[in-house]
Every structure is written in structure tokens, then in C-alpha cells.
Amino acid sequence: MSAVSEIHLAVALDGAGGHPVAWREPGDRPAELFTARHWAGVVAEAEAGLLDFVSFDDALALQSASPGGQDERTDRVRGRLDAVLTAARVAPLTRHIGLVPAVTATHTEPFHVSKAVATLDHVSRGRAGLDVRISGLPHEERHFGRRTAPLQEDELHEEAADHVEVVRRLWDSWEDDAEIRDVATGRFVDRHKLHYIDFEGRHFSVRGPSITPRPPQGQPVVTVRATDSA
């Protein structure tokens, strides 16, 4: 057996925690679950514990114990903040820890995702990541009304792959030295170093370039959860 040369430690953040009744613990301050103070506190604790990164869970529907998302239980946390916006809020309050918000590629335009994560990378000075999710649930489909029926699983994976490809190309659509910022000459950007991506696929047709300058990392980390079928 070969030795593992490097291990990265992280924590997945979702509501009050993984246990369904964790929100009732006095220390979790249930009244603050949807406040910036709560999220800043848990991320600061993770950073103080020297973890490499945190992920922020997200989805396109309320949490549910039922596959159809229809259970009527009132004793569980329901509702969550937007993962990317939450990560952006806590970014200036941290220094070293990576910030990896979840984004559901299904129903979400890659152009918007690329600029949101690029913005997070700028705000955090190179600590952003992207946790890609897919969704084939009919009740989530009905939030958008763009399709008459959900995609099959293989199509969902194909769409997600195209989604990530578009996002990555948009991050690369600005060259590293595209920004000049020369006050003396009045030139802020070298237009020749911004490039169309001209992506044509089954699910997306995106010309580009991005309207957000290249992320400090160039290519922020893209992840999927090991528990996901993706």
C-alpha cells in the first residue's frame, strides 16, 4: 500500500450541523442560524482549528426527509442562506481557510456561477472553490419552469460537465496581465487579452468573455462530494 503524501481536512457546514435536532442545542443559538454572525463564528472556529477549507451546503428546495420534498415535519431546520453570498460575507473575516460554496449546476447558468465564484476568489484573495451539485427532482424543476420534464441522470451529468467546462473557460477568458491600470496613459485593460470562449454544446451556448477579471487563483478548485452519484 502506498503512503498518502498529503491529507486535507475540511468541514461541511449546513444549518446547525449534521444531526437533525442540533439546532435545539443551547450553544447553537437557533435564533441566529440565518445571521452573518453565526456563519462567521463557525468558519472562524474551523480556521482556528487549522482546517484547510469549509464547504457551504445549498440546494434548490427546502430540506426534506422525503425524496419528493413533501414531508410536513416542523421539528427540523428548514431554509438556508445562499452559499456563495454567505461565503463572500465571511471571506473578509478570515485569512487562510478555503471557502467552497455548493452550486447546483442544474437550472443555473454557468456565466452567473463563473462570475460569482471569481468574485469570491477576489474577495477572499485566492481562497474560493466550487462544489458542483446536480438535481433531477421534479419539485425543484417546477421552481424554474424551463423544461417540461427533468433530465435523466446521464443527461444531468452531461449537463454538469458542460457547465464546469464553460465556467473554467470563462475564468480563462481574461489573461493574467489583461488589467493594465495605468493612470498615466488612461488604459485600464488590454482588450486584446480578453477572449471569446465560443462554447457550443448541447446544453449551453456561451460566447464570453467573462465580465469579471481572472480569479487570483486562475482556476479555483472545483469539487464534488464523495457521497454524490456525480
Side-chain angles (χ1 to χ4, degrees), residues 7-20:
I7 296 177
H8 294 283
L9 299 177
V11 62
L13 302 178
D14 184 18
H19 197 282

Side-chain angles (χ1 to χ4, degrees), residues 8-206:
H8 294 283
L9 299 177
V11 62
L13 302 178
D14 184 18
H19 197 282
V21 298
W23 67 272
R24 286 188 271 176
E25 289 295 320
D28 284 320
R29 305 182 302 277
E32 295 190 358
L33 280 179
F34 301 130
T35 66
R37 178 184 302 188
H38 167 77
W39 290 97
V42 294
V43 175
E45 185 175 356
E47 184 169 61
L50 302 181
L51 273 70
D52 293 300
F53 68 92
V54 295
S55 64
F56 301 83
D57 208 0
D58 209 343
L60 300 178
L62 291 174
Q63 300 93 322
S64 174
S66 167
Q70 303 297 321
D71 78 84
E72 301 296 328
R73 300 189 65 156
T74 59
D75 61 338
R76 307 290 177 89
V77 172
R78 293 291 188 268
R80 50 164 57 95
L81 303 181
D82 181 89
V84 176
L85 294 179
T86 301
R89 175 63 182 85
V90 303
L93 307 177
T94 57
R95 298 179 59 191
H96 306 295
I97 196 165
L99 307 169
V100 185
V103 174
T104 304
T106 316
H107 313 302
T108 306
E109 292 294 333
F111 185 86
H112 295 156
V113 173
S114 74
K115 66 190 295 287
V117 177
T119 299
L120 176 59
D121 207 45
H122 282 284
V123 171
S124 65
R125 297 186 177 182
R127 293 182 284 122
L130 170 60
D131 180 14
V132 179
R133 308 283 178 86
I134 61 173
S135 169
L137 299 175
H139 68 282
E140 294 186 1
E141 183 91 25
R142 289 191 289 271
H143 289 322
F144 300 90
R146 296 179 179 178
R147 295 169 176 157
T148 57
L151 296 177
Q152 298 299 312
E153 186 171 0
D154 58 341
E155 295 177 300
L156 288 170
H157 292 300
E158 179 186 82
E159 181 184 56
D162 280 358
H163 188 284
V164 172
E165 179 65 22
V166 172
V167 168
R168 287 191 178 280
R169 291 193 192 186
L170 287 168
W171 288 336
D172 278 340
S173 64
W174 288 54
E175 294 184 27
D176 289 335
D177 55 351
E179 297 172 78
I180 301 172
R181 304 191 186 194
D182 189 337
V183 176
T185 63
R187 296 184 70 204
F188 188 88
V189 66
D190 185 341
R191 187 61 184 83
H192 297 292
K193 295 187 177 182
L194 275 63
H195 305 288
Y196 297 119
I197 68 169
D198 292 325
F199 181 90
E200 294 286 345
R202 178 182 175 189
H203 302 282
F204 303 106
S205 177
V206 180

